[in-house]
Amino acid sequence: MKQRKLFTSESVSEGHPDKVCDQIADAILDECLRIDPKAHVACEVFATKEYVLIGGEITMDGNADYETIARDVLRQIGYVDASLGIGADSCQIDVRVNTQSHDIAQGVDRGDPLEQGAGDQGIMFGYATDESSGYMPLAIGIAHKLVRLASTMRKEGKFPHARPDMKSQVTIDYTEPGHPRIQTVLMSVQHDEEITLDELRAFIHENIMVPVARSFGLNEDFEYLVNPTGRFVLGGPAGDTGLTGRKLIVDTYGGYSRHGGGAFSGKDPSKVDRSASYYARYIAKNIVAAGLAKRAEIQLSYAIGVAKPISICLDCFGTSIVPEEQILEAVQEIFDARPGAIISSFGLTHPSFSYRSTCVYGCFGRPDLDLPWERLDKAEALRKRVLG
């Protein structure tokens, strides 16, 4: 019997405790950059039952009300009452924020913004594949859409009895080349006491799982699980403590690509953990969109205080139509991966840019957002440079 080739990815909703923390951190970042586009921000958030701790290092010209921002985020998510485990108006919030280290600042700040140094050393990866219209792996793309749809329906009053905390998990069967199928879909959805498990399972299968599978043009005869423990009333920060930066694989490619280990949320774009990961995705996506490879992974590495990357690596996993060396040479000519250039070309310190919108349902392959690193404006130049 032929061994099946299965791959699984997960996603979480905006009400998941870790994502609550990510959203508070990024809402604080957005406000700091609105007040001072040159602000240096590294914000960390911890949340548990009726309690939020905000810490980190922030240096800016002006002041922001971190506590009010946190309460607004909780309210917008739907944590409006202590009975849900945390209430926007009832929870205790502690703020323990310091200023950025001078030793770090002197390595980042430069007279010429394009020559600013990287905010830290590290390695970052970007990935793209032609297996979906968004150039994302199918499993993570479907998993994101499941929780995004469920959360939207909850907020619109179309998903009765649902509460904010949700998770999804999708297994794709790649056994037949070129013909992927959905093997299993799992959703765990926080709910109130009034709905039975049978009602919840039927609703989620019929109104969320099947429509999402149909939207991807995939099979609807998949196996499915809903709340396999049988009950999920206590959730959010009361059910499990939340912490900034614990959903790195959800934020990126669902485990289908390598990850450098650096979190995104709460960090201003001088931190290459964030901005260079965006740029690596931009490079990889344009390579695939140019038709130069079916899959592409870019690695960038940096030294703190140094503008130019230490290294750029390309892996097309045997799918490139020309030697990878030719593509990499074109990448080095066409793309400028200095942090200052990334910030400038993507507008990452513009007051209108919303980091909070990127920190739920993934940073990549987002059809609902116009993200600069998702644009394909370099594909034609790459193709001409490589193929003539």
Side-chain angles (χ1 to χ4, degrees):
M1 183 177 178
K2 188 175 184 180
Q3 180 68 38
R4 287 189 298 173
K5 182 179 180 181
L6 306 176
F7 192 87
T8 303
S9 296
E10 71 159 353
S11 183
V12 299
S13 72
E14 63 195 81
H16 185 279
D18 293 331
K19 278 296 157 199
V20 169
C21 295
D22 286 347
Q23 289 171 91
I24 292 172
D26 272 346
I28 288 172
L29 170 63
D30 286 340
E31 179 64 7
C32 291
L33 292 177
R34 187 192 67 79
I35 295 170
D36 178 10
K38 295 182 179 180
H40 288 306
V41 180
C43 181
E44 310 291 345
V45 179
F46 168 89
T48 188
K49 183 177 181 180
E50 281 289 85
Y51 179 79
V52 175
L53 172 65
I54 301 169
E57 296 78 42
I58 299 177
T59 301
M60 60 184 293
D61 185 8
N63 296 289
D65 187 341
Y66 306 133
E67 179 178 336
T68 295
I69 293 169
R71 294 191 189 281
D72 286 345
V73 170
L74 289 170
R75 191 175 297 110
Q76 291 160 16
I77 293 170
Y79 287 118
V80 295
D81 191 272
S83 65
L84 298 174
I86 190 167
D89 298 310
S90 59
C91 69
Q92 177 185 343
I93 296 181
D94 284 342
V95 177
R96 298 288 186 269
V97 173
N98 300 309
T99 58
Q100 185 187 47
S101 161
H102 174 71
D103 292 348
I104 295 176
Q106 70 179 355
V108 174
D109 297 331
R110 294 285 190 273
D112 181 355
L114 292 180
E115 290 299 328
Q116 75 173 58
D120 201 352
Q121 71 175 52
I123 56 174
M124 298 84 207
F125 289 91
Y127 180 79
T129 173
D130 68 354
E131 69 178 83
S132 72
S133 60
Y135 296 87
M136 289 289 286
L138 279 171
I140 188 66
I142 297 170
H144 282 323
K145 192 166 185 178
L146 288 166
V147 284
R148 190 168 71 240
L149 175 59
S151 295
T152 299
M153 292 175 67
R154 173 183 65 84
K155 288 187 168 184
E156 293 176 349
K158 299 176 181 178
F159 189 177
H161 309 292
R163 289 180 173 179
D165 194 357
M166 306 178 187
K167 298 180 77 170
S168 66
Q169 188 170 286
V170 176
T171 300
I172 299 293
D173 187 339
Y174 287 103
T175 304
E176 297 299 327
H179 298 282
R181 288 176 53 83
I182 303 175
Q183 170 68 22
T184 307
V185 177
L186 163 64
M187 290 193 74
S188 294
V189 175
Q190 185 188 15
H191 58 88
D192 62 27
E193 300 274 7
E194 280 68 49
I195 191 169
T196 68
L197 184 57
D198 288 342
E199 290 173 326
L200 185 69
R201 285 174 173 165
F203 183 92
I204 291 174
H205 179 250
E206 295 169 12
N207 296 281
I208 298 172
M209 291 180 174
V210 170
V212 168
R214 190 177 297 141
S215 73
F216 279 84
L218 293 173
N219 59 295
E220 300 172 23
D221 59 342
F222 48 81
E223 299 176 13
Y224 70 95
L225 296 166
V226 174
N227 288 19
T229 62
R231 177 183 168 90
F232 186 12
V233 173
L234 181 65
D240 190 11
T241 56
L243 189 65
T244 310
R246 278 205 300 204
K247 285 291 175 280
L248 309 184
I249 301 305
V250 171
D251 288 340
T252 52
Y253 308 99
Y256 216 90
S257 169
R258 286 169 282 195
H259 196 293
F264 298 168
S265 290
K267 297 178 181 178
D268 75 79
S270 72
K271 281 73 173 175
V272 283
D273 280 338
R274 182 166 221 161
S275 54
S277 294
Y278 294 164
Y279 206 69
R281 160 67 174 176
Y282 179 56
I283 298 171
K285 187 176 181 181
N286 276 271
I287 289 171
V288 175
L292 301 177
K294 296 179 72 64
R295 298 165 59 199
E297 182 186 73
I298 288 284
Q299 184 204 56
L300 301 173
S301 73
Y302 292 84
I304 187 169
V306 179
K308 290 186 178 181
I310 299 299
S311 66
I312 304 177
C313 178
L314 169 66
D315 189 347
C316 295
F317 309 96
T319 70
S320 62
I321 63 173
V322 298
E324 289 177 355
E325 293 79 8
Q326 291 181 229
I327 302 174
L328 184 56
E329 184 177 325
V331 165
Q332 292 170 326
E333 289 184 9
I334 293 170
F335 294 90
D336 188 345
R338 293 176 298 168
I342 297 171
I343 293 168
S344 176
S345 63
F346 286 169
L348 296 181
T349 57
H350 194 278
S352 65
F353 188 84
S354 171
Y355 285 96
R356 183 184 166 191
S357 67
T358 70
C359 74
V360 287
Y361 313 124
C363 299
F364 309 120
R366 294 291 300 273
D368 55 320
L369 299 175
D370 180 21
L371 299 174
W373 53 86
E374 292 295 304
R375 295 170 188 166
L376 301 175
D377 53 340
K378 302 290 187 183
E380 186 59 30
L382 269 173
R383 185 173 177 83
K384 286 183 178 178
R385 173 63 182 77
V386 173
L387 301 180

